[in-house]
């Protein structure tokens, strides 16, 4: 087997869905090309726009930040400390080390330090799975930080495997509204910054290989709360299908974007007039936004015996 691009016999990775193998340099070129094309094809952003990349310390977001810097984009990082024990301390250390190594600017938010609670406490008080308060906090704080910092766009490290698994879950339940919003680019709307996912053409394995080959030190462990969740189950199911028919994930996700996604556009349209949260100013349908409600609720937990909703 030889490298598809330069014919070298020293291949480092085989990508069955592309029916190709690559040597080190050509594989790194392939990753940059996939990201460059994604940004261009979906008109995610252009040179000169300020980008903030949400970085968790994992292979996808650190790899994305690295790729954007190599492509000469003006990209700062954004790290959110969630207060999830050793997982959060290790991810903070890894993210800071990367920023320092690349001489890049890292914006940091600390949920316990800045907002007075951590994810395990929020989960206990609301009596819901940790990922619920975590997702809400991330959506709110990422958007607020991007707006406050005057960034044009917020980028996340969701890769092809993530997007195909989320799509799989949404299709299983025909979640019309979520399907309408599952796009690699969400345009800015009043109060919300533009959001992009430049890694949708690269899979998990490619991102791990990218980091290893470029010497990016990333945290390998997943968030302890993710173990055994549905999303990981969908990933495993799709991996089994991909094993049988390479390219299935890619066809599923990009086929959805091309042929089915427009059918759900209306379901995702924002119908309610949005007001400004009376506490933080973020857009909300009520008087106080969901994040500020969560902050209040965690600060004033219901007495024992009362069940929260
Ligand atoms: P996840 O929801 O953990 O699959 O992560 C999806 C994306 O959200 C990652 O690729 C990052 O871009 C971003 N992200 C997740 N956790 C954090 C965090 N603690 N701080 C900053 N960005 C994060
Ligand atoms: Fe949010 Fe695990 S990263 S609960
Ligand atoms: Zn608010």
């Amino acid at each position: 087997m030889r490298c598809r691009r330069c014919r070298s016999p020293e291949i480092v990775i085989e990508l069955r869905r592309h029916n190709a193998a690559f040597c080190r340099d050509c594989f790194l070129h392939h990753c940059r090309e996939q990201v460059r094309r994604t940004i261009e094809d979906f008109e995610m952003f252009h040179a000169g726009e300020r980008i903030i990349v949400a970085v968790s310390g994992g292979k996808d977001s650190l790899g994305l930040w690295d790729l954007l810097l190599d492509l000469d984009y003006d990209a700062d990082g954004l790290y959110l400390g969630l207060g999830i024990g050793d997982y959060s301390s290790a991810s903070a250390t890894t993210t800071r080390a990367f920023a320092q190594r690349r001489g890049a600017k890292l914006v940091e938010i600390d949920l316990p330090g800045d907002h007075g609670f951590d994810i395990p406490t929020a989960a206990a008080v609301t009596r819901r799975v940790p990922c619920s308060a975590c997702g809400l906090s991330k959506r709110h704080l990422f958007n607020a930080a991007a707006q406050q910092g005057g960034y044009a766009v917020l980028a996340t490290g969701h890769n092809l495997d993530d997007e195909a698994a989320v799509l799989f879950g949404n299709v299983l339940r025909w979640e019309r509204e979520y399907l309408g919003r599952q796009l690699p680019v969400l345009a800015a709307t009043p109060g919300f910054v533009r959001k992009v996912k430049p890694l949708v053409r690269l899979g998990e394995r490619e991102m791990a290989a990218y980091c290893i080959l470029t010497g990016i030190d990333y945290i390998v462990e997943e968030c302890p709360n993710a173990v055994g969740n549905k999303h990981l189950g969908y990933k495993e199911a799709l991996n089994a299908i991909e094993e049988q028919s390479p390219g299935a994930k890619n066809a599923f996700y990009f086929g959805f974007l091309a042929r089915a996604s427009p059918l759900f556009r209306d379901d995702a349209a924002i119908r309610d007039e949005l007001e400004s949260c009376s506490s933080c100013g973020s857009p909300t349908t009520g008087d106080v936004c969901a994040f500020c409600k969560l902050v209040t609720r965690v600060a004033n937990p219901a007495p024992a015996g009362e069940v929260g909703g």
Side-chain angles (χ1 to χ4, degrees), residues 245-260:
S245 44
K249 261 183 233 175
N250 194 75
F252 178 50
Y253 177 67
F254 285 98
F256 163 75
L257 291 185
R259 294 197 278 278

Side-chain angles (χ1 to χ4, degrees), residues 15-162:
L15 299 176
R16 286 175 69 206
R17 81 168 183 285
H18 291 295
N19 200 12
F22 292 104
C23 72
R24 178 186 183 276
D25 287 354
C26 293
F27 172 67
L28 300 182
H29 173 85
H30 157 85
C31 294
R32 281 192 294 271
E33 272 306 292
Q34 295 293 316
V35 170
R36 194 190 56 72
R37 265 183 55 203
T38 307
I39 294 167
E40 224 174 80
D41 292 354
F42 292 102
E43 297 178 8
M44 292 186 163
F45 42 78
H46 47 77
E49 284 191 300
R50 290 180 65 228
I51 304 155
I52 191 158
V53 190
V55 277
S56 64
K59 63 190 185 316
D60 304 306
S61 47
L62 287 182
L64 170 61
W65 195 10
D66 192 68
L67 283 157
L68 293 181
L69 292 170
D70 279 355
L71 289 167
D72 279 335
Y73 284 108
D74 180 1
D76 294 345
L78 170 63
Y79 174 75
L80 172 63
L82 298 161
I84 307 176
D86 292 346
Y87 169 72
S88 287
S89 17
S91 58
T93 310
T94 306
T95 306
R96 285 179 199 136
F98 176 86
Q100 197 172 20
R101 191 178 78 136
R102 290 270 351 204
K105 180 181 168 187
L106 179 66
V107 177
E108 291 197 43
I109 311 171
D110 187 50
L111 204 49
D114 301 335
H115 299 280
F117 70 94
D118 57 28
I119 293 301
T121 309
V125 170
T126 57
R127 298 178 205 208
R128 299 190 56 183
V129 289
C131 302
S132 163
C134 180
L136 165 65
S137 304
K138 281 178 186 164
R139 280 192 299 279
H140 175 89
L141 294 169
F142 290 176
N143 187 62
Q147 296 233 308
Q148 277 158 23
Y151 293 92
V153 48
L154 167 73
T156 52
H158 295 95
N159 59 34
L160 176 62
D161 293 74
D162 295 321

Side-chain angles (χ1 to χ4, degrees), residues 140 277 280 289 292:
H140 175 89
C277 168
C280 75
C289 78
C292 289

Side-chain angles (χ1 to χ4, degrees), residues 284-298:
T284 173
T285 48
D287 173 38
V288 177
C289 78
F291 180 74
C292 289
K293 278 187 192 151
L294 178 65
V295 173
T296 309
R297 194 146 170 226
V298 181

